[in-house]
Every structure is written in structure tokens, then in C-alpha cells.
Amino acid sequence: MKELNCDFHIVGSALTGLLTAYSLQKQGYEIIISEKKLFNLRAVLKDSRTTAVAEGSKVYLDQIGLWKKLKPFAEPIKLIEVIDQTAKSKIKFNNFIKNTNLGYIIKNSILINILLNDLKQKKNVKFLFQTEIKRISYNKSKIVSHSKGFKVSSNLLIASDGKQSSVRKIMKTKRFVKKYNEKAIVINFCHKKPHNNVAYEFFYKSGPLAILPMQKEKNSFQSALIWSNKAKIIDFFNSSKINQEYIIEILNEKLSSNIGKVKKINSKQTFPLSAHINERFYEERLVYVGDAAHSIHPIAGQGWNLGIRDIRSLSNLIKKNADMKKNLDAKKLCKSYNDECYFDAYRLYQITDKLDWAFKKNQTHFRFLRSIGFSIINKNPSIKKRIVNFAMGI
């Protein structure tokens, strides 16, 4: 068995794991990234899903020198229109701060490719693919992960291995799970009218539908749609038996007045909807980041941004402990990380869950209360500003 040593062992090579490595390697630490799957660059580059990057996240990405590489591929969101079931209640959220945007939309494939290419050139970063952790133990001042063929000793193990975290299962860290018994479909498509950098959020009794502006490709206007609904309806739309023209007709019925007729569907993917939050975000010499710690309903598009805030907090805490290599107070570091991040995640976990619940209610009194709420927000710039700043993460 090959024995390896590092400062930080990051488990999981998806977006959160790669960004964690990118952030920490800049401080000069030795990092090992392990991934149980065999990496397939061709499959990554075909991934057409998009990620919403909030302005606050963009500021952090700029601080660590990554945004300048992402900026050419990011489409800004300059206006968000929120529309309730009847289309009579609307709110337009504008940006109140000059030289900033409400957010940005970028393809996952571009994010991953840029991060990977950069990290593979770093001498202090090593990748271990097809390496699944089977057991975790402790040896004096180290945490040790055991897998077939490798034993990795590190000062700190960072679990970024997603909702179904294998590290969390090994450590038996408890979590609270909310299953929505629904699915979401993500469709990237071309349309006739320019989107003018406007994002739309429609709230139907069946679930929210968001349209997000993407960059043009081959002179075609592009957007991404994320639609939550009952699992059987989403499966119906994703079925290979359904004619693409039929789906386009349905989309045109809902979207044509906003962005023109849908010309072509480029891709569609589905995923089940659930949310969770760990009982805590740490164990001894171990922290959970991103979806390994928490996941939320996609109603507000804040999932990855919440993970970025985890990374920022962890990176800043490590930076404060500059002599970490020689004298790591792991217990204090992990507890401080938990204290900084837990409330933020729990708050968004609850907010997104309750928003989904409230907007699905179709009874007369609920519609009446929502219309009053929309009217109050529309007439009060101060409330609007607070909501915008919260969504932007600033």
C-alpha cells in the first residue's frame, strides 16, 4: 500500500472540491484531491448544465485570482422579474450598486475545465482518481484515509463529495433530510428574441420555473430553464418517446412572450429534488463543505454560492492560523468553521423550503396574501434593496 502525506486531503473533485483546492493551494499548502470515479474530460465538456454565481461569490473569486479567467464566459444578470401564478403580481429587482450585477450564469463544463487545467499545473496539488475511501482513522496529529492501494495522512480532511457523501457515511455524521417527491428538469435552448440579461422566476402551483440568460453561441440567443414539478411530469418531458417539437410547443406557451419562440433544445437533464443539512459541519480533523454539508431547494439558485461561502470561511480561518503546518489546533479550527457557516446554511435551508411551500399554495387567501406582499415590496425600495443584497450575497 502506498502511503502519502499532505496538509489537506480533499475528497471529491466536482466544482466545490476543485474550488477548495484552488483557494488553499494559493497559501502554499500540499493538497491531495481524491475522487472515486475515473475522470472523463470528454463527459465534463459535454455537461451543459449551468451555475448561477452571485455577485458576492464573484467578489471572492476575484480575490483569489479566478474571476479574470471566468469572466469571458460569464453572462451577467442585470434584472430579475418574479412573477406569481396569475401573472398579475410581479416584482422587478434591479441592481442598486454601480459596476456590479445581480449575478452571472456560466456553464459547469467551463468552470470545471478552467479549475482542472490550473490545478494540474500546480506542484503542490496531486490528483488520485478511482480512489474510494473505505475507512478513516487517526494517527497522533493526523487523520488517515484508507482506500485500495493508498493511505493518505493529512492535517485536515475536507469532505466535498456531494449529497451522498461517503465520508459522512463512514463517520456516521447525522443529517436532516427533506424529500420533495418532485424532480427538476434543466433545459438549455435557443430562442428568437434577445434575453437582454433578464432572469425570470415564475411561481406556479406545481412548482417554480426559472429562465436564466446564457451567452450567445453561433449567433443564437440562449437561455437555461429550470422547472420543478411532480416526478411523473418531469419524467414525461424527459422521455425519449416525446417528440422535441411537442416540448418546444409547451415551452412556447409559457415563454414566448418573454424571450420569443424557442428555436431548438440543446440539452435536457433531470434530477430529484431534496434538501438536507448535517447535524454539524465537522468531526475531529474533518470538515464538510458544499453539498456534503448541506443542500437546498433550487428555488433561489443559491446552492453553489452557499458552498463558496463555506470555502471562503475555511480559507480565511486557515490563513489566520499561519503556522498551521507546525502547530494546527484542529479542534478549534473545525469548531470555528462550524460556528461561522452553520447558521448561514440553516437559514437558507429554511427560507428556500418555506418559499417553495408558500408559492405552491393556490387557495384564495394565499393568493390574496401573496398579492399584498408583492405590492408592498414593489412600493418599498428599502425592502427591495435588502432582498437584492441578500440574493447577491453582499
Side-chain angles (χ1 to χ4, degrees), residues 261-274:
K261 296 253 182 181
V262 175
K263 293 166 58 180
K264 178 187 174 186
I265 292 175
N266 298 324
S267 66
K268 54 188 174 79
Q269 294 172 287
T270 66
F271 56 91
L273 285 185
S274 66

Side-chain angles (χ1 to χ4, degrees), residues 32 38 89 103 124 136 194 235 246 290 351 389:
I32 289 176
L38 177 64
S89 298
N124 58 331
I136 294 171
D235 288 339
Y246 176 75
I351 288 173
N389 288 347

